[in-house]
Amino acid sequence: MNVPELVGTARTLLAGDKGLLAMDESTGTCNRRFAPLGIPQTEEARRTYRELIVTTPGLSESISGAILYDETIRQRTKDGIPFATALRDSGIIPGIKVDTGAKNMAGHPGEKITEGLDGLRERLGQYTQLGARFTKWRAVIAIGDGIPSRGCIEANAQALARYAALSQEAGLVPVVEAEVLMDGGHSLKRCFEVTEEVLRTVFNQLYVQRVTLEAMILKPNMVLPGLASLTQEPVDRVTDATVRCLMRTVPAAVPGIAFLSGGQSGELASARLQAMSVYSQSALPWDLTFSFSRALQQPALEIWHGDEKHRQAAQAALVHRARCNRAARRGEYDSRMERQ
Ligand code: 13P
C-alpha cells in the first residue's frame, strides 16, 4: 500500500471548491429513474445517458471525481473511448462503486445489509486496470419503529471497514458511505441520534480493521428530519445539527467529508451545503464537499428524457447544478443563481 499516493488522490478529489459526481446508480436504480420519464430501460439507453454526462463540456471546472458503476466502467462513447478514459482526459478522476447492493438482512425485518466482500480483492484489481483511482461502498440504515438495531449497524460498519481496508490495499481511495435514510416521519433529533451512533460505530470499525484515516473520504447524510415529518427544519438548524454530529464522531485525521443528497431537491442540497461551508470557514478540521447523484443529475435527466435532441440543454442543466454546488462550497451560492 502506497500511503502517500493514496493521500495524494484523496487530497486531489477534495481540492479547491470542486466535488464528486455520483453516477453509479445500479442497473435497477437507473431503470427506476428512467421509468417515470418513459425512457427505455435498456443497456443502450443507460449508455447514451452516461455518455451525455461524461462528455459534458466544462464539467471538470466543478467536478473532481465521478463514481461509475460496474456496467458503466465497461462502456464506451460512440467513438469507442472508454468512459473512464473520457473522464480522465477531461480532468475528472474516475471512481467505481464496488458493493453489490443492500439486501434484506436475515433476522432483521425492515433492515438491509450491504453485500460484495466475496471476491472483492480480485474485482478491485480489475477496476484498477479499467482506470479507477477510488471506490465507493454504500451502507443504508433505515429509521423506523424499533430500528435501526445494533446488529444492523455493527454488521454494516464492519463490512464498510473491511471494504475500505481492501480498497486501500489495492491502491484505491475508499469513499465510505454510511447513509441514514430520509424515509419516514422521524424528527431531526432522531436522525441526529442515529447518525451519531452509526458514525461512531463506523469509525470504531475503521480503526479495528486498520484503515488509514488520512487516505479515505467519508460520505454521510446530512442530519435532517424524515421526508414525512411535519416539522421541516430551516437551513440553519440542519447545518448546526449536521456539523455538531460530525464534530462528535469524525476524527480530524479524515481529510474530507462529501455529503450525499439522499432525495433532497437540488436547490435545498446546495443551500444546505452553502450554509455548512460558511460555518466551516470558522475552522472545521476536514474539507466539506458534495458527492451528489440526484441533486446534480435529476434536472438534466428530466430535460434529456431519452431524446438526444435535448442533449445540449441537459448538459447545460448538469453544469449549472455542478456550478451551484461549487459556489456553495466556496460559500458563494445564492438562490438567485437558479434564475440566471
Ligand atoms: P444521492 O445524492 O442521490 O443520495 O446519491 C448519492 C449516492 O451516491 C447514493 O449511493
Side-chain angles (χ1 to χ4, degrees):
M1 180 168 83
N2 183 337
V3 174
E5 196 178 302
L6 280 168
V7 170
T9 304
R11 292 207 172 279
T12 307
L13 286 167
L14 295 162
D17 49 14
K18 298 186 189 183
L20 306 180
L21 166 64
M23 49 177 292
D24 60 334
E25 302 82 8
S26 64
T27 301
T29 302
C30 188
N31 286 345
R32 274 197 296 283
R33 306 244 160 102
F34 280 8
L37 300 171
I39 302 169
Q41 295 161 49
T42 61
E43 183 172 348
E44 181 49 23
R46 293 190 295 275
R47 194 206 62 76
T48 306
Y49 174 59
R50 266 65 177 260
E51 174 168 351
L52 178 159
I53 297 178
V54 303
T55 59
T56 294
L59 194 60
S60 65
E61 288 165 20
S62 312
I63 299 294
S64 56
I67 313 171
L68 302 171
Y69 175 60
D70 185 76
E71 177 180 271
T72 324
I73 200 169
R74 300 171 197 280
Q75 289 174 326
R76 295 168 182 258
T77 65
K78 58 183 180 319
D79 300 332
I81 301 166
F83 286 169
T85 307
L87 286 167
R88 194 199 57 207
D89 291 351
S90 73
I92 296 175
I93 301 177
I96 178 80
K97 167 193 172 78
V98 301
D99 66 74
T100 56
K103 310 285 162 59
N104 290 337
M105 186 166 166
H108 292 74
E111 298 193 285
K112 305 261 187 207
I113 175 71
T114 301
E115 295 187 348
L117 288 170
D118 287 352
L120 181 55
R121 180 178 274 133
E122 293 70 30
R123 285 195 293 123
L124 290 172
Q126 269 186 27
Y127 290 138
T128 306
Q129 295 295 318
L130 290 168
R133 302 261 311 280
F134 71 103
T135 60
K136 188 195 93 172
W137 177 291
R138 172 175 179 250
V140 287
I141 306 291
I143 298 182
D145 237 5
I147 62 172
S149 65
R150 203 53 217 158
C152 172
I153 293 174
E154 282 184 13
N156 274 293
Q158 199 202 42
L160 269 171
R162 289 185 56 202
Y163 136 75
L166 279 161
S167 189
Q168 290 185 338
E169 177 193 88
L172 299 164
V173 171
V175 174
V176 172
E177 179 172 9
E179 175 170 9
V180 176
L181 295 173
M182 283 172 74
D183 304 316
H186 54 268
S187 63
L188 178 97
K189 180 167 174 285
R190 179 81 181 116
C191 180
F192 185 107
E193 287 163 2
V194 172
T195 305
E196 178 174 3
E197 183 179 357
V198 168
L199 292 179
R200 281 187 191 280
T201 313
V202 167
F203 279 100
N204 182 49
Q205 278 297 326
L206 289 168
Y207 171 67
V208 172
Q209 300 298 330
R210 303 183 178 170
V211 173
T212 303
L213 297 183
E214 291 80 355
M216 63 162 274
I217 293 170
L218 177 70
K219 177 163 173 167
N221 51 286
M222 296 182 193
V223 175
L224 299 166
L227 278 172
S229 166
L230 297 176
T231 322
Q232 288 302 320
E233 304 281 354
V235 170
D236 59 334
R237 291 252 307 155
V238 168
T239 306
D240 186 58
T242 304
V243 172
R244 267 192 308 122
C245 188
L246 295 171
M247 287 290 273
R248 284 189 184 183
T249 53
V250 184
V254 173
I257 295 175
F259 292 105
L260 59 94
S261 60
Q264 304 172 66
S265 70
E267 294 184 24
L268 253 185
S270 297
R272 288 166 172 163
L273 181 64
Q274 151 78 18
M276 233 126 23
S277 305
V278 170
Y279 205 113
S280 77
Q281 281 159 5
S282 60
L284 292 178
W286 353 261
D287 283 327
L288 291 185
T289 188
F290 57 93
S291 176
F292 298 156
S293 160
R294 283 163 287 181
L296 280 168
Q297 289 185 49
Q298 195 60 29
L301 178 61
E302 286 171 18
I303 291 168
W304 177 63
H305 232 104
D307 185 340
E308 281 293 275
K309 75 171 181 290
H310 303 313
R311 180 189 179 83
Q312 279 189 356
Q315 289 180 326
L318 178 62
V319 164
H320 172 71
R321 285 257 57 80
R323 282 195 184 133
C324 286
N325 287 302
R326 179 181 175 207
R329 226 200 125 172
R330 284 198 304 271
E332 290 172 8
Y333 171 77
D334 185 310
S335 58
R336 278 174 296 193
M337 276 183 80
E338 303 294 351
R339 292 188 289 280
Q340 276 161 16

